[in-house]
Amino acid sequence: MKYKAVLLDMDGTVLDTVEDIMNSANTALRKFGFPEMNSAQTKARLGNGSRELITKALPEGTEPEILEKVLEFYIPYYDTHSHIKTRPYDGILELLENLKNSGYKLAIISNKPDSTVKELAGEFFPDMLETAVGESETVKRKPNPDAVIAAAEQMGFDISQCVYVGDSEVDIETAKRAGMDCISVSWGFRTKQQLVESGASRIADTVSELNEMINETI
């Protein structure tokens, strides 16, 4: 095997989380009298964490203290409403099971808070993962490479032995900064054209293609 470990982004790669995120963000926006987002707008604003999502959702020029109030409502609200419509993408559970049975070690990486990442990973992928890493006081959010480096270290591997799988320009940049290989997937929150424009070198359009790319030996 070319790789010993597969590190996977969470939102838009293994879990379809957009509806729960959108509904939670819209609840916060509505509470403070701001326009709500549709699915396309939500997807376009995802990838850089909660602060960036809410900042982009609010009208330009919104006072910083208002942003903080919306965030203070949104973050705990989403934390308790993150399991309603969220589900693994079709074929993902089978893929992870097959990879694990083939000897790969698996990890989930996300810009969500570390506690939320671990909770969702444990619920949807029980006994499949070695670790799950999110943003925390000691792990900066992507595209800072902290999370992928931490996951590789926790599993006992060098970055060169790992491949990172994600669905956005943030994931491509994260892998680049970490000095590791990257496979992008086109079923998430960015279009294939956007991935190409962001410098993606390998793009999987289906879970089957992703499996083939991970198992390539050269």
Side-chain angles (χ1 to χ4, degrees), residues 10 106-110 114 117-119 121-122 129-134 151 154:
M10 178 174 276
L106 306 174
I108 294 290
I109 307 296
S110 176
D114 189 64
V117 176
K118 286 178 167 53
E119 183 177 355
L129 308 174
E130 299 299 311
T131 188
V133 182
Q154 289 174 27

Side-chain angles (χ1 to χ4, degrees), residues 96-192:
L96 298 188
E97 184 176 356
N98 288 338
L99 290 174
K100 182 175 181 178
N101 290 339
S102 295
Y104 292 97
K105 301 299 183 183
L106 306 174
I108 294 290
I109 307 296
S110 176
N111 273 342
K112 293 182 184 297
D114 189 64
S115 59
T116 304
V117 176
K118 286 178 167 53
E119 183 177 355
L120 289 171
E123 176 179 349
F124 290 104
F125 310 113
D127 303 320
M128 291 185 179
L129 308 174
E130 299 299 311
T131 188
V133 182
E135 184 181 17
S136 67
E137 291 183 359
T138 58
V139 175
K140 297 177 183 177
R141 63 184 175 87
K142 301 177 292 181
N144 187 290
D146 279 7
V148 293
I149 292 172
E153 290 178 348
Q154 289 174 27
M155 292 188 290
F157 295 122
D158 185 81
I159 284 293
S160 64
Q161 298 173 297
C162 307
V163 62
Y164 184 50
V165 181
D167 72 304
S168 75
E169 71 284 352
V170 177
D171 298 310
I172 295 168
E173 181 64 19
T174 299
K176 180 179 178 181
R177 293 189 188 187
M180 66 190 300
D181 289 351
C182 182
I183 301 173
S184 300
V185 300
S186 63
W187 58 75
F189 299 160
R190 301 292 186 269
T191 65
K192 189 169 185 177

Side-chain angles (χ1 to χ4, degrees), residues 35-47:
E36 299 180 27
M37 300 185 289
N38 60 34
S39 180
Q41 290 170 326
T42 304
K43 286 182 179 180
R45 294 164 178 168
L46 287 172

Side-chain angles (χ1 to χ4, degrees), residues 32-78:
F32 291 91
F34 293 108
E36 299 180 27
M37 300 185 289
N38 60 34
S39 180
Q41 290 170 326
T42 304
K43 286 182 179 180
R45 294 164 178 168
L46 287 172
N48 286 284
S50 298
R51 179 173 293 275
E52 188 75 7
L53 170 67
I54 297 301
T55 298
K56 290 180 177 179
L58 292 172
E60 188 174 350
T62 298
E63 294 293 330
E65 55 267 29
I66 300 299
L67 167 63
E68 295 304 323
K69 288 181 179 180
V70 178
L71 271 172
E72 286 173 7
F73 179 89
Y74 166 72
I75 291 174
Y77 185 90
Y78 173 67

